[in-house]
Amino acid sequence: MSTQTATSLKPFFPASARLCCAMVIVSALSVPDSQAAQDTLKIAIANDMPPYVMDNANNGLEVDVVKQALADYDIQFVQVSYRDLQSAVQQQGVDAAIGVMADDSGVFYSDNLITFANFAISKKADQLTIHTIDDLKKHPVLTWQNAYTELGGAFESLFSPVSEYRSNYREFSNQADQVSQFWKENGQVAVIDRNIFAYFTKALGHPLNEVTYHNLFPAVTHFRAGFKDEAVMKAFNAKLSDMCQSGTYAKLLEQHHVTLARTVCDDQ
């Protein structure tokens, strides 16, 4: 076979087609890094507080809700102290913060995404008389960071930094330490979410029937997510609503053994 004949058998591609293919390849290779980075969200979340955040933010109710509601993104959790969560978007360069309350800081806040059931808890053996928030001033109170700002005006008035009863009030950055301290000494009151208290109490080997739950606060306290980007917040809300309607959110509550009088889905 001659060289001319062999050449004539090769597939023929017009110059315009070859140019088009080259442009497609160049375009695919030249996607800017900023566009690729749009699929990644850096999200601030609290330090471990089972059953909501566990295993260095690899497990837990809050973690699973966020992962499913933002399934279209690559999520990178950044654990911060509870005290720093509220301002994490503004001050720590993250794209969102989970477990915050709405304020006027310019962040885009989601619908309620997580619910806590806070109680004042004492040991039955101590036989403490606690009927109102004002009764707490008689006893050492153990609670979480910034709790005085989140449990209503009466509690804040009693335990704000300028209150005369502040010395009777102790905040913990790690709620495992809070529950451990509660069981070490008599006469103390733990102000804490019931599910967190139950988790750590069982881990320490104490029976839950040895405590009294004093119902001083709202049945539930809701928290939101704060987003830097409004579009991401709206997409999160839409998916969260779908999770409620499909029963996915209820299944996550059951999976993580979280018992609540009212959930965020009741407000949908």
Side-chain angles (χ1 to χ4, degrees), residues 62-252:
E62 278 190 39
V63 173
D64 287 349
V65 169
V66 172
K67 283 181 176 179
Q68 293 199 32
L70 294 172
D72 294 333
Y73 296 87
D74 175 24
I75 303 300
Q76 295 181 2
F77 286 113
V78 179
Q79 289 188 284
V80 302
S81 69
Y82 192 82
R83 191 188 306 276
D84 295 330
L85 265 181
Q86 188 69 34
S87 60
V89 174
Q90 303 93 313
Q91 298 183 8
Q92 300 197 30
V94 296
D95 298 297
I98 304 303
V100 297
M101 290 188 166
D103 58 25
D104 57 358
S105 61
V107 173
F108 297 101
Y109 290 100
S110 73
D111 295 334
N112 295 327
L113 76 93
I114 203 76
T115 303
F116 293 91
N118 296 308
F119 288 83
I121 302 174
S122 67
K123 299 183 186 72
K124 287 181 179 178
D126 291 335
Q127 297 184 329
L128 302 186
T129 301
I130 301 174
H131 299 301
T132 68
I133 288 176
D134 193 61
D135 290 332
L136 294 175
K137 68 185 180 185
K138 307 170 187 175
H139 313 289
V141 172
L142 315 175
T143 190
W144 70 89
Q145 288 183 323
N146 291 342
Y148 74 95
T149 68
E150 298 173 352
L151 291 171
F155 191 82
E156 181 170 6
S157 177
L158 198 62
F159 295 118
S160 73
V162 298
S163 168
E164 63 178 301
Y165 301 106
R166 179 73 176 196
S167 61
N168 222 26
Y169 170 92
R170 182 177 174 186
E171 293 184 347
F172 290 79
S173 60
N174 185 326
Q175 293 195 277
D177 295 338
Q178 178 190 354
V179 178
S180 177
Q181 177 58 37
F182 171 83
W183 287 106
K184 285 179 181 177
E185 297 180 18
N186 295 329
Q188 302 177 114
V189 179
V191 173
I192 189 172
D193 168 74
R194 184 169 187 158
N195 295 292
I196 295 175
F197 179 83
Y199 183 95
F200 286 123
T201 290
K202 290 176 182 177
L204 290 168
H206 294 283
L208 288 170
N209 62 7
E210 291 184 357
V211 301
T212 299
Y213 295 91
H214 306 278
N215 190 8
L216 307 182
F217 308 105
V220 293
T221 303
H222 297 306
F223 289 85
R224 305 169 184 257
F227 288 89
K228 182 185 298 183
D229 188 294
E230 185 178 17
V232 178
M233 179 272 289
K234 289 182 176 180
F236 179 87
N237 280 349
K239 185 60 177 178
L240 188 61
S241 178
D242 290 343
M243 291 170 65
C244 283
Q245 294 175 17
S246 66
T248 299
Y249 194 101
K251 290 178 181 178
L252 289 176

